[in-house]
Short mmCIF file of all heavy atoms in Angstrom, two decimals:
data_model
loop_
_atom_site.label_atom_id
_atom_site.label_comp_id
_atom_site.label_asym_id
_atom_site.label_seq_id
_atom_site.Cartn_x
_atom_site.Cartn_y
_atom_site.Cartn_z
N LEU A 1551 48.79 -5.61 -28.96
CA LEU A 1551 49.69 -6.30 -28.04
C LEU A 1551 51.09 -6.42 -28.65
O LEU A 1551 51.30 -7.19 -29.59
CB LEU A 1551 49.14 -7.69 -27.69
CG LEU A 1551 47.68 -7.72 -27.21
CD1 LEU A 1551 47.28 -9.15 -26.83
CD2 LEU A 1551 47.46 -6.78 -26.03
N ASP A 1552 52.00 -5.62 -28.13
CA ASP A 1552 53.39 -5.61 -28.61
C ASP A 1552 54.19 -6.70 -27.92
O ASP A 1552 53.83 -7.15 -26.83
CB ASP A 1552 54.05 -4.28 -28.23
CG ASP A 1552 53.55 -3.11 -29.06
OD1 ASP A 1552 54.14 -2.86 -30.12
OD2 ASP A 1552 52.57 -2.47 -28.64
N ASP A 1553 55.29 -7.07 -28.54
CA ASP A 1553 56.26 -7.93 -27.86
C ASP A 1553 57.63 -7.71 -28.47
O ASP A 1553 57.76 -7.56 -29.68
CB ASP A 1553 55.89 -9.42 -27.97
CG ASP A 1553 56.86 -10.28 -27.19
OD1 ASP A 1553 56.83 -10.20 -25.95
OD2 ASP A 1553 57.68 -10.99 -27.81
N ARG A 1554 58.63 -7.70 -27.61
CA ARG A 1554 59.98 -7.36 -28.08
C ARG A 1554 60.54 -8.35 -29.10
O ARG A 1554 61.46 -8.03 -29.83
CB ARG A 1554 60.94 -7.25 -26.89
CG ARG A 1554 61.26 -8.61 -26.25
CD ARG A 1554 62.32 -8.47 -25.21
NE ARG A 1554 61.77 -7.82 -24.04
CZ ARG A 1554 62.05 -8.16 -22.79
NH1 ARG A 1554 62.90 -9.12 -22.54
NH2 ARG A 1554 61.49 -7.54 -21.78
N ASP A 1555 60.02 -9.60 -29.11
CA ASP A 1555 60.51 -10.61 -30.07
C ASP A 1555 59.86 -10.49 -31.44
O ASP A 1555 60.22 -11.24 -32.35
CB ASP A 1555 60.21 -12.03 -29.55
CG ASP A 1555 61.33 -12.56 -28.68
OD1 ASP A 1555 62.32 -11.84 -28.46
OD2 ASP A 1555 61.19 -13.72 -28.21
N GLN A 1556 58.89 -9.61 -31.57
CA GLN A 1556 58.23 -9.51 -32.88
C GLN A 1556 59.24 -9.03 -33.93
O GLN A 1556 60.19 -8.30 -33.61
CB GLN A 1556 57.04 -8.53 -32.80
CG GLN A 1556 55.84 -9.15 -32.08
CD GLN A 1556 54.87 -8.12 -31.51
OE1 GLN A 1556 55.22 -6.94 -31.34
NE2 GLN A 1556 53.67 -8.58 -31.20
N HIS A 1557 59.01 -9.44 -35.15
CA HIS A 1557 59.84 -9.00 -36.28
C HIS A 1557 59.82 -7.47 -36.32
O HIS A 1557 58.77 -6.86 -36.06
CB HIS A 1557 59.23 -9.59 -37.57
CG HIS A 1557 60.04 -9.42 -38.79
ND1 HIS A 1557 60.17 -8.21 -39.43
CD2 HIS A 1557 60.77 -10.30 -39.50
CE1 HIS A 1557 60.94 -8.36 -40.49
NE2 HIS A 1557 61.32 -9.63 -40.56
N PRO A 1558 60.96 -6.85 -36.61
CA PRO A 1558 60.98 -5.37 -36.61
C PRO A 1558 59.88 -4.76 -37.49
O PRO A 1558 59.31 -3.72 -37.14
CB PRO A 1558 62.36 -5.02 -37.17
CG PRO A 1558 63.18 -6.26 -37.02
CD PRO A 1558 62.26 -7.44 -36.89
N ARG A 1559 59.56 -5.42 -38.59
CA ARG A 1559 58.50 -4.89 -39.46
C ARG A 1559 57.12 -5.07 -38.80
O ARG A 1559 56.21 -4.28 -39.04
CB ARG A 1559 58.51 -5.57 -40.84
CG ARG A 1559 59.79 -5.32 -41.62
CD ARG A 1559 59.91 -3.89 -42.08
NE ARG A 1559 59.16 -3.62 -43.29
CZ ARG A 1559 59.06 -2.42 -43.86
NH1 ARG A 1559 59.66 -1.37 -43.30
NH2 ARG A 1559 58.38 -2.25 -44.97
N GLU A 1560 56.98 -6.13 -37.99
CA GLU A 1560 55.72 -6.29 -37.25
C GLU A 1560 55.58 -5.17 -36.22
O GLU A 1560 54.49 -4.61 -36.04
CB GLU A 1560 55.68 -7.66 -36.55
CG GLU A 1560 55.47 -8.83 -37.49
CD GLU A 1560 55.65 -10.20 -36.85
OE1 GLU A 1560 56.18 -10.30 -35.72
OE2 GLU A 1560 55.28 -11.19 -37.50
N ARG A 1561 56.69 -4.84 -35.56
CA ARG A 1561 56.67 -3.75 -34.58
C ARG A 1561 56.28 -2.44 -35.26
O ARG A 1561 55.47 -1.67 -34.75
CB ARG A 1561 58.05 -3.56 -33.93
CG ARG A 1561 58.66 -4.78 -33.30
CD ARG A 1561 58.32 -5.00 -31.87
NE ARG A 1561 59.04 -4.19 -30.91
CZ ARG A 1561 58.64 -4.07 -29.65
NH1 ARG A 1561 57.53 -4.66 -29.25
NH2 ARG A 1561 59.31 -3.34 -28.79
N GLN A 1562 56.88 -2.22 -36.43
CA GLN A 1562 56.58 -1.00 -37.18
C GLN A 1562 55.11 -0.97 -37.62
O GLN A 1562 54.44 0.06 -37.55
CB GLN A 1562 57.49 -0.99 -38.41
CG GLN A 1562 57.79 0.37 -38.96
CD GLN A 1562 58.69 0.25 -40.20
OE1 GLN A 1562 59.37 -0.77 -40.42
NE2 GLN A 1562 58.67 1.28 -41.01
N ARG A 1563 54.62 -2.16 -38.00
CA ARG A 1563 53.22 -2.25 -38.44
C ARG A 1563 52.26 -1.95 -37.28
O ARG A 1563 51.22 -1.33 -37.48
CB ARG A 1563 52.92 -3.66 -38.98
CG ARG A 1563 53.38 -3.88 -40.38
CD ARG A 1563 53.19 -5.34 -40.79
NE ARG A 1563 53.60 -5.53 -42.16
CZ ARG A 1563 52.84 -5.25 -43.21
NH1 ARG A 1563 51.61 -4.79 -43.04
NH2 ARG A 1563 53.29 -5.43 -44.43
N ILE A 1564 52.61 -2.42 -36.09
CA ILE A 1564 51.74 -2.15 -34.94
C ILE A 1564 51.64 -0.64 -34.73
O ILE A 1564 50.55 -0.08 -34.56
CB ILE A 1564 52.25 -2.88 -33.67
CG1 ILE A 1564 52.04 -4.39 -33.83
CG2 ILE A 1564 51.53 -2.37 -32.41
CD1 ILE A 1564 52.51 -5.25 -32.67
N GLN A 1565 52.79 0.03 -34.79
CA GLN A 1565 52.81 1.49 -34.63
C GLN A 1565 51.95 2.17 -35.70
O GLN A 1565 51.09 3.01 -35.40
CB GLN A 1565 54.27 1.97 -34.72
CG GLN A 1565 54.44 3.48 -34.73
CD GLN A 1565 54.01 4.09 -33.39
OE1 GLN A 1565 54.54 3.72 -32.35
NE2 GLN A 1565 53.04 4.99 -33.43
N LEU A 1566 52.17 1.76 -36.96
CA LEU A 1566 51.43 2.40 -38.06
C LEU A 1566 49.94 2.08 -37.99
O LEU A 1566 49.10 2.93 -38.28
CB LEU A 1566 52.00 1.93 -39.41
CG LEU A 1566 53.39 2.50 -39.74
CD1 LEU A 1566 53.98 1.78 -40.96
CD2 LEU A 1566 53.29 4.00 -40.00
N THR A 1567 49.63 0.84 -37.61
CA THR A 1567 48.22 0.44 -37.50
C THR A 1567 47.54 1.30 -36.44
O THR A 1567 46.43 1.81 -36.65
CB THR A 1567 48.11 -1.06 -37.17
OG1 THR A 1567 48.80 -1.79 -38.18
CG2 THR A 1567 46.66 -1.53 -37.12
N ALA A 1568 48.22 1.47 -35.31
CA ALA A 1568 47.66 2.31 -34.24
C ALA A 1568 47.43 3.73 -34.76
O ALA A 1568 46.36 4.32 -34.54
CB ALA A 1568 48.62 2.32 -33.05
N ASP A 1569 48.41 4.27 -35.49
CA ASP A 1569 48.28 5.63 -36.02
C ASP A 1569 47.09 5.73 -36.98
O ASP A 1569 46.30 6.67 -36.93
CB ASP A 1569 49.53 6.04 -36.82
CG ASP A 1569 50.74 6.24 -35.92
OD1 ASP A 1569 50.56 6.23 -34.68
OD2 ASP A 1569 51.85 6.39 -36.47
#
Side-chain angles (χ1 to χ4, degrees):
L1551 308 183
D1552 287 271
D1553 183 69
R1554 71 173 72 140
D1555 271 1
Q1556 285 159 341
H1557 188 286
R1559 297 291 278 177
E1560 286 171 348
R1561 306 270 282 165
Q1562 206 180 340
R1563 280 174 178 278
I1564 290 179
Q1565 173 66 57
L1566 288 169
T1567 303
D1569 290 351

